[in-house]
Amino acid sequence: MLAELRGLNEECGVFGIWGHEDAAQISYYGLHALQHRGQEGAGIVTKEGKKFHVIKGEGLVNEVFSGNEIDDLKGNAAIGQVRYSTENGRGIENVQPLVFRSTTGSLSVAHNGNIVNAVELREHLERQGSIFQTNSDTEVLAHLIKKSSGSLTQRDRVKKALSMLKGAFAFVILTDDGLMVAQDPNGLRPLSLGKIGDAWVVASETCAFDIIGAEWIRSVEPGELIIINDKGLQSDRFAPAADSAMCSMEYVYFARPDSDIDGINIHSARKRCGKRLAREVHIEADVVTGVPDSSISAAIGFSEESGIPYELGLIKSRYVGRTFIQPTQEMREKGVKMKLSPVRQVVNGKRVVMVDDSIVRGTTSKRIVNLLKEAGATEVHVVIASPPLVSPCFYGVDISTDSELIATNRTVDEIRELIGADSLTFLSAEGMVEAIGRPDKTKNCGQCLACFTGEYPTEIYSDTVLPHKKEIV
């Protein structure tokens, strides 16, 4: 479904490169490939010798870099980020990468995820005299690194700082001497390592490698710290790997279909979820359609398994502004109609199976069901290629309270009635895990199911639960 309309948003995508004369240009294209992960801000920082150059702003990548700004970003190393922010975290000061300059050296940081003990750490640092310039969790890491005292090397300072963080994080850190890459001990957020010629690259998703012509090498491991400099690449650890807990919503919704996460292609995983869903429910219908874009793969799988023909029953407009920034629910609902249109010739007089990846608040699902019925569908059967979302996410997805979730404390039939569907079916949690097909032998095959089950892979601090008050980067 359309994340910008329904309130479910991945927080950002990160990119890094070391050792390429066109570092800024390659970062620009890499961020373009990651644009689906965040549309409210973008930035690139490059390193030329020990000098850092930075350009960032609010808007899409091609809006921030609309002229010849890239030409001003000199150097053979760079990091970048595209971001989505919560209401309290908007503003140019929160756009990343963040840059910190001091007499002991410069540092630039970009981050994907959410640090669940950030409030506690921030208060501790402020008591020690730190002054924060942003609402971002990312700034906490920079202060922790700079606060490390004694004769520790920079690598050890970074390791010590990272070991104090709890939650989900994938960091790219540019220093005077190298590029550092870190993944949280549970591996909650995707992060991949690749090469383009002799240069090393890192990105939130492998689709960024395809657009720049890079070769995928491997995923960054949970608890791993990678140091890249002119001497090459070194792997270290700042924490032992915990049980793997990759965010299930990456497979279900967030990642692009042409990306691979831990060796599993997203399109193929979604298609298998659709097939499994068709085996879990039997519906008499004439046509299957998917809500563009992320549900198309599951809809194709459902059609193939059920034998019900797949048709393009909903069309997504590519030329509508970013309606997700509209402040009222009424405007968001108008945005749904602007973004999606039913194909009347396909659905008129038909019993329609509408496949979607998830339901969050339900307002968009209700509007799409109404659109299909207004176009003449005699029945609309909604099937969801994931389990009901019943618990908030504290790891970087913009659902911070259970009051935002239609499935919390409601039965499936109550949800069906609210959205106006003739039937409603969710994929079982077991079916989703099996269909995604991770070979991991740990709990839930190495996936985080917290938003579906309420069981979190890390400790959740009381300060984390601050709806609409706390920036999650």
Side-chain angles (χ1 to χ4, degrees):
M1 195 184 291
L2 306 175
E4 59 267 33
L5 296 174
R6 68 181 183 182
L8 184 61
N9 292 279
E10 169 58 58
E11 299 311 322
C12 70
V14 296
F15 184 88
I17 182 168
W18 181 272
H20 200 290
E21 60 181 4
D22 296 321
Q25 289 84 352
I26 291 171
S27 297
Y28 172 83
Y29 288 115
L31 293 182
H32 253 298
L34 300 174
Q35 185 74 86
H36 60 287
R37 299 185 72 88
Q39 297 90 40
E40 288 194 3
I44 296 173
V45 171
T46 60
K47 189 184 84 71
E48 181 186 20
K50 293 188 179 295
K51 185 177 182 180
F52 282 22
H53 305 280
V54 55
I55 294 177
K56 58 183 181 178
E58 296 180 284
L60 302 173
V61 174
N62 63 357
E63 294 171 338
V64 175
F65 301 94
S66 58
N68 298 319
E69 294 91 348
I70 286 289
D71 296 338
D72 296 328
L73 294 174
K74 308 294 185 183
N76 68 348
I79 61 173
Q81 189 212 50
V82 291
R83 78 189 300 268
Y84 169 85
S85 64
T86 56
E87 183 177 354
N88 195 47
R90 291 178 183 148
I92 185 63
E93 71 275 7
N94 288 306
V95 177
Q96 297 185 24
L98 303 179
V99 178
F100 307 89
R101 295 181 172 92
S102 72
T103 56
T104 58
S106 298
L107 184 74
S108 182
V109 185
H111 168 216
N112 176 27
N114 187 40
I115 301 168
V116 298
N117 64 335
V119 172
E120 179 184 73
L121 291 171
R122 192 182 186 104
E123 291 174 351
H124 170 74
L125 288 163
E126 286 180 346
R127 287 194 297 269
Q128 292 186 333
S130 293
I131 298 174
F132 286 80
Q133 302 297 315
T134 74
N135 296 323
S136 170
D137 291 353
T138 309
E139 192 175 358
V140 170
L141 176 64
H143 282 272
L144 288 173
I145 294 171
K146 288 298 183 182
K147 282 288 184 181
S148 296
S149 58
S151 58
L152 293 177
T153 64
Q154 184 180 63
R155 177 190 297 202
D156 288 337
R157 289 199 304 271
V158 172
K159 288 169 62 176
K160 181 180 178 181
L162 289 168
S163 69
M164 298 173 69
L165 307 181
K166 307 295 181 185
F169 53 86
F171 278 105
V172 286
I173 306 166
L174 192 61
T175 72
D176 287 338
D177 303 314
L179 172 65
M180 295 187 178
V181 181
Q183 172 74 289
D184 71 78
N186 292 100
L188 281 151
R189 289 278 157 245
L191 196 60
S192 289
L193 182 70
K195 291 198 78 174
I196 177 169
D198 294 327
W200 289 97
V201 291
V202 62
S204 291
E205 290 185 38
T206 60
C207 63
F209 294 166
D210 295 332
I211 197 171
I212 64 173
E215 174 192 5
W216 178 82
I217 301 299
R218 64 176 176 87
S219 298
V220 180
E221 297 177 2
E224 184 179 22
L225 174 65
I226 294 175
I227 301 96
I228 304 170
N229 53 36
D230 291 339
K231 297 179 181 179
L233 180 146
Q234 291 181 304
S235 175
D236 201 347
R237 303 203 68 84
F238 65 89
D243 285 347
S244 181
M246 173 61 65
C247 173
S248 292
M249 289 304 292
E250 292 287 352
Y251 292 103
V252 170
Y253 172 73
F254 293 129
R256 254 176 49 166
D258 53 335
S259 286
D260 297 340
I261 296 179
D262 291 342
I264 295 175
N265 175 253
I266 299 301
H267 165 71
S268 299
R270 290 175 186 165
K271 191 173 176 181
R272 289 193 297 270
C273 285
K275 287 177 176 287
R276 177 61 182 256
L277 187 53
R279 293 196 293 270
E280 293 187 359
V281 63
H282 178 72
I283 297 173
E284 296 290 339
D286 304 305
V287 64
V288 173
T289 193
V291 180
D293 289 314
S294 58
S295 305
I296 300 301
S297 300
I300 293 170
F302 189 97
S303 172
E304 289 183 1
E305 186 69 21
S306 67
I308 304 170
Y310 170 80
E311 291 285 355
L312 200 64
L314 291 163
I315 298 295
K316 178 181 176 182
S317 173
R318 309 290 175 181
Y319 309 105
V320 178
R322 287 169 282 145
T323 54
F324 69 94
I325 66 175
Q326 298 296 340
T328 67
Q329 187 59 39
E330 180 184 0
M331 292 302 292
R332 291 189 188 100
E333 291 179 9
K334 290 182 184 297
V336 175
K337 195 167 186 177
M338 292 170 64
K339 287 277 188 177
L340 287 175
S341 300
V343 183
R344 188 174 295 272
Q345 296 280 3
V346 169
V347 303
N348 187 33
K350 302 288 180 61
R351 299 168 297 175
V352 178
V353 176
M354 184 190 96
V355 181
D356 207 350
D357 49 77
S358 56
I359 297 179
V360 184
R361 296 180 179 90
T363 52
T364 302
S365 298
K366 179 179 180 179
R367 185 57 187 149
I368 296 172
V369 170
N370 287 339
L371 285 174
L372 290 169
K373 289 193 172 183
E374 288 170 2
T378 58
E379 298 175 7
V380 178
H381 301 274
V382 177
V383 296
I384 306 298
S386 64
L389 290 162
V390 297
S391 298
C393 176
F394 304 115
Y395 300 125
V397 178
D398 191 25
I399 43 173
S400 58
T401 65
D402 54 16
S403 63
E404 299 176 82
L405 303 171
I406 192 174
T408 302
N409 299 322
R410 288 189 177 95
T411 66
V412 172
D413 196 56
E414 287 172 336
I415 302 169
R416 178 203 61 75
E417 187 173 351
L418 284 170
I419 67 173
D422 291 277
S423 71
L424 173 64
T425 304
F426 290 89
L427 180 61
S428 66
E430 315 85 68
M432 180 188 68
V433 170
E434 291 179 12
I436 289 172
R438 287 174 61 94
D440 199 301
K441 302 300 182 184
T442 59
K443 184 178 180 181
N444 301 322
C445 294
Q447 290 175 226
C448 176
L449 302 182
C451 55
F452 306 121
T453 65
E455 297 179 8
Y456 298 92
T458 73
E459 181 180 358
I460 299 298
Y461 291 67
S462 59
D463 286 330
T464 306
V465 191
L466 295 173
H468 307 302
K469 297 295 184 183
K470 178 174 177 293
E471 159 69 350
I472 38 184
V473 190

